[in-house]
Amino acid sequence: MVYQLRPYQQDAVDATLKHFRQTDDPAVIVLPTGAGKSLVIAELAKIARGKLLILAHVKELVEQNHEKYQSYGLTAGIYSAGLQQKNRQHQITFASIQSVARNLDDFNDEYSLVIVDECHRVSHSHHNVDSDDPSTSQYYLLLKQLRTVNPRLKLLGLTATPYRMGLGWVYRHHYHGFLRAQQPRPFERCIYELPLRYMIKNGFLTEPKIIDAAISQYDFSQLKTSASGAYSSTEMNSLLAKHPRVTESIVEQVVMLAQQHRRQGVMIFAATVEHAKEICGYLAAFNPALITGQTASDERERLITAFKCREIVYLVNVSVLTTGFDAPHVDMIALLRPTASVSLFQQIVGRGLRLSEGKNDCLVIDYAANGFDLFYPEVGEKKPSSDSVPVMVSCPCCDFANTFWGKQDDEGHIIEHYGRRCWGMEEDEKGEVTACDYRFRFKQCNSCGAENDIAARSCRQCGEAIVDPDNKLKDALRLRDYRVIRCAGATFSEQDGRLKIVYYDEDGTELSESFDFSNRGQRAVFNQLFGRRFNQGVEPLIFATHQQVVERSVFFTAPDFVIAKKKGNFWRIQEKIFDYHGAYRQANQLQ
């Protein structure tokens, strides 16, 4: 069977050719799960002139990608222990990264292009790897070796989820004109991206029907994750053991919904192996299949085949079948496991979005209250709180529309956002990129006045050390004549022709100060501290009178900490710490 590329797949191929004709910078293509990345790979391999190495992290993806290429009537090698083949004699080689990493001496040829499927697993360096996923460092070591043979080696990645816990975005620049990361990343540019909504609207994917009808939910909110977003199986088992009735109620509802909506294939994602076995116990009457990382290869193949042939309706799995698994008839997804990774959430739901005859939608129900928005996950940073949502914040400097985590009221107005800096950028005719330097939150250098990231230790402009706010707080807290309050709020009012600001601690303790707006110096200090941060830095303003301040007082950002020193019978404010980033608890945060 010869496949015909869809228009967007051809666009992705064209974008790749255009990019690599201009530069050797590593590039990323972002296509939703089910968009046919393997066909894009096959087309690129078909028109390639040099040697290509096409990598994936599971044998199923290696096999899928190879089959699509073979459909053109062409021949390529497979290098994968899992597929019992180690053939690298052809121009094109499809390989598993684990097999290649164990046999690096076999890969001393000059490759012109390396293509990585599921490229969010690639690490930029050996210092930036995922301890829960050894393949991240394996990619780095292989690419390092191949570049010693060919310094101009080109690297192309494809993924539906271009971000990773602990790293954020896997690329720096986006072709739409914005910056994703300041620091080095495995890939320099995203050269093509297709939104999930486009795929659904145009009939290329099934519509996910996300229902909020959970009769019971697990509360995993108190569990801590590793740097890569993984949860401890021991801690999850301990929590789940305390609430056996919750699992039973959830399984009863899953069965009820599956029967009510006449679901053909139900995938259940469990938290641990013990949890999965418990789920299967409640599903015993329906002959469920259970697949874990310990399931023998032949047994796994047998169960998957039975599920694809619709001999089994319920497929329970633990930390597998999130990528490289293709069963288009899946029309219900039940998440009974937590994840701090938006990538993993998307991959899980993506299992049910492929088209299949007689399938109108895919039910998705999240019993772990993960809270991700399937259509707007593109924040690339860990969700700061369970009630955070993606919010759009325009830069007052370049007008770029940033997407940050934030909070909204019932009418959709932004109450708070957690963005630090603008991610907009401009590209000149030579292709040189200049990033917008506007910062919504910042730490100001006392030496030169430059604005720095809130975690900076030294000034990016003059190089002078920036005093750690934790040191300031620590010094003030140990001195008897100093007072530190965690500022829970502030009020702005007029008093005797001056602006009075009162800062409140959680327990009602107050500190206050005043600004004389007829004094040029005091007016400048106020505007630098408060006017610059007006409306959370989205709308910086310069205020000329205290009346203007009082009229718009609800839009000012209060400091996180206020430090005062006792002078006689009064407390005189010495320092206000804004945009705090450190070890001390802030107001209204849990211990």
Side-chain angles (χ1 to χ4, degrees):
M1 177 180 179
V2 178
Y3 295 91
Q4 181 70 35
L5 292 186
R6 292 170 176 170
Y8 67 82
Q9 292 168 331
Q10 186 61 56
D11 290 343
V13 171
D14 294 342
T16 303
L17 298 178
K18 179 181 178 182
H19 173 77
F20 285 127
R21 283 171 184 152
Q22 297 174 342
T23 178
D24 295 332
D25 289 344
V28 172
I29 292 173
V30 180
L31 294 174
T33 300
K37 294 191 293 293
S38 58
L39 286 175
V40 174
I41 292 172
E43 181 68 17
L44 289 168
K46 185 184 75 170
I47 62 180
R49 296 178 181 177
K51 286 178 70 72
L52 262 66
L53 181 60
I54 300 166
L55 300 168
H57 70 291
V58 292
K59 67 176 184 179
E60 290 84 0
L61 282 177
V62 175
E63 193 170 35
Q64 282 179 30
N65 292 335
H66 180 261
E67 286 177 355
K68 291 295 193 300
Y69 179 74
Q70 297 267 83
S71 72
Y72 285 109
L74 303 171
T75 304
I78 289 180
Y79 197 98
S80 170
L83 297 174
Q84 299 181 339
Q85 296 186 56
K86 287 191 175 181
N87 182 348
R88 57 181 182 83
Q89 305 307 314
H90 296 82
Q91 177 198 0
I92 311 297
T93 302
F94 292 84
S96 70
I97 182 59
Q98 294 86 354
S99 296
V100 172
R102 286 193 292 266
N103 300 275
L104 285 177
D105 290 342
D106 287 350
F107 291 85
N108 287 317
D109 298 332
E110 183 173 331
Y111 289 89
S112 62
L113 173 65
V114 172
I115 299 178
V116 180
D117 199 357
E118 303 295 340
C119 69
H120 53 277
R121 296 173 175 272
V122 177
S123 171
H124 176 69
S125 74
H126 67 286
H127 296 297
N128 189 16
V129 299
D130 183 347
S131 59
D132 297 319
D133 183 4
S135 68
T136 58
S137 58
Q138 292 170 343
Y139 284 114
Y140 166 75
L141 294 173
L142 171 63
L143 292 169
K144 181 180 179 182
Q145 174 167 307
L146 294 179
R147 283 175 174 139
T148 62
V149 180
N150 179 14
R152 295 199 60 187
L153 176 75
K154 295 175 173 60
L155 173 63
L156 176 70
L158 292 95
T159 182
T161 54
Y163 22 76
R164 190 172 74 239
M165 289 294 297
L167 176 68
W169 298 95
V170 298
Y171 64 86
R172 295 185 65 220
H173 301 118
H174 193 283
Y175 70 105
H176 281 324
F178 47 86
L179 186 69
R180 289 299 198 193
Q182 284 281 83
Q183 301 302 316
R185 289 293 185 266
F187 300 90
E188 187 65 21
R189 293 175 182 270
C190 173
I191 58 174
Y192 185 81
E193 182 171 17
L194 192 69
L196 178 61
R197 284 196 186 277
Y198 172 91
M199 296 291 292
I200 295 170
K201 182 179 179 181
N202 289 275
F204 295 125
L205 290 178
T206 300
E207 181 179 2
K209 189 176 181 182
I210 302 174
I211 56 176
D212 184 19
I215 190 170
S216 299
Q217 281 189 331
Y218 301 111
D219 183 7
F220 294 107
S221 61
Q222 299 305 311
L223 300 184
K224 295 183 179 180
T225 65
S226 66
S228 63
Y231 288 85
S232 163
S233 294
T234 302
E235 292 181 2
M236 286 193 290
N237 281 329
S238 177
L239 184 150
L240 292 165
K242 297 176 183 177
H243 307 285
R245 180 56 190 158
V246 173
T247 300
E248 185 178 6
S249 297
I250 287 174
V251 173
E252 288 174 356
Q253 187 185 40
V254 168
V255 171
M256 182 270 292
L257 289 170
Q259 294 177 340
Q260 179 182 330
H261 295 274
R262 299 182 180 180
R263 299 291 105 169
Q264 304 175 69
V266 181
M267 291 189 71
I268 300 174
F269 292 83
T272 67
V273 173
E274 289 78 4
H275 185 219
K277 291 177 179 177
E278 180 187 4
I279 293 168
C280 286
Y282 297 129
L283 287 170
F286 303 96
N287 188 31
L290 170 59
I291 297 179
T292 72
Q294 288 73 48
T295 304
S297 181
D298 56 348
E299 174 67 2
R300 172 173 169 156
E301 292 300 325
R302 184 188 70 79
L303 293 173
I304 288 176
T305 299
F307 181 70
K308 289 183 176 181
C309 292
R310 310 190 190 191
E311 297 169 6
I312 296 172
V313 175
Y314 298 93
L315 177 57
V316 183
N317 80 99
V318 184
S319 300
V320 293
L321 307 185
T322 55
T323 57
F325 177 76
D326 186 2
H329 77 289
V330 171
D331 51 6
M332 182 172 177
I333 301 287
L335 285 89
L336 278 70
R337 57 153 296 170
T339 177
S341 167
V342 66
S343 298
L344 181 57
F345 181 82
Q346 283 184 292
Q347 296 284 1
I348 288 173
V349 176
R351 299 309 100 199
L353 301 188
R354 296 183 186 274
L355 300 177
S356 180
E357 186 176 352
K359 177 178 170 182
N360 297 317
D361 56 35
C362 177
L363 293 183
V364 179
I365 185 163
D366 182 3
Y367 291 100
N370 291 299
F372 292 113
D373 188 322
L374 183 63
F375 296 101
Y376 295 98
E378 303 90 352
V379 176
E381 296 179 0
K382 185 177 180 181
K383 196 173 185 178
S385 61
S386 60
D387 58 348
S388 298
V389 297
V391 297
M392 188 169 290
V393 179
S394 294
C395 173
C397 184
C398 72
D399 289 328
F400 177 72
N402 297 274
T403 301
F404 299 134
W405 287 117
K407 296 181 180 180
Q408 295 179 322
D409 60 21
D410 294 338
E411 296 180 355
H413 298 131
I414 298 174
I415 301 172
E416 182 180 12
H417 75 78
Y418 302 105
R420 292 189 184 185
R421 61 163 298 162
C422 175
W423 294 112
M425 67 178 189
E426 292 185 359
E427 187 170 345
D428 62 23
E429 297 177 354
K430 298 180 181 178
E432 295 181 358
V433 174
T434 302
C436 177
D437 200 32
Y438 185 80
R439 297 174 188 273
F440 296 93
R441 287 176 169 78
F442 57 91
K443 192 187 290 184
Q444 193 167 28
C445 174
N446 291 331
S447 297
C448 69
E451 296 175 357
N452 296 271
D453 184 76
I454 58 176
R457 298 294 185 182
S458 60
C459 178
R460 62 192 175 92
Q461 186 163 302
C462 70
E464 288 292 317
I466 297 176
V467 179
D468 188 340
D470 280 355
N471 291 338
K472 294 180 181 179
L473 293 171
K474 183 179 179 180
D475 291 342
L477 287 168
R478 65 183 176 83
L479 296 174
R480 185 186 306 175
D481 56 346
Y482 275 79
R483 172 179 288 175
V484 178
I485 69 169
R486 295 183 176 90
C487 189
T491 60
F492 298 74
S493 62
E494 186 272 339
Q495 185 179 67
D496 300 327
R498 300 164 66 95
L499 174 69
K500 182 179 180 181
I501 307 177
V502 181
Y503 307 100
Y504 299 92
D505 201 343
E506 297 162 302
D507 59 6
T509 301
E510 299 179 7
L511 288 173
S512 64
E513 64 179 339
S514 62
F515 289 87
D516 181 1
F517 270 69
S518 65
N519 182 293
R520 182 178 178 181
Q522 291 191 31
R523 190 168 64 245
V525 170
F526 175 86
N527 282 312
Q528 179 59 40
L529 292 174
F530 292 93
R532 170 64 178 82
R533 295 179 171 88
F534 186 73
N535 196 13
Q536 301 179 72
V538 177
E539 188 184 352
L541 293 176
I542 295 176
F543 292 85
T545 67
H546 66 267
Q547 292 92 340
Q548 293 174 340
V549 173
V550 173
E551 288 172 0
R552 308 190 69 180
S553 60
V554 295
F555 295 104
F556 286 102
T557 299
D560 296 304
F561 293 91
V562 179
I563 301 173
K565 183 178 181 181
K566 195 164 189 179
K567 297 284 187 179
N569 295 324
F570 301 96
W571 291 98
R572 179 171 295 177
I573 292 176
Q574 302 289 305
E575 179 111 31
K576 294 177 285 293
I577 299 177
F578 290 85
D579 306 322
Y580 175 72
H581 179 80
Y584 286 92
R585 182 180 69 83
Q586 294 171 247
N588 302 318
Q589 285 185 337
L590 296 176
Q591 296 279 5

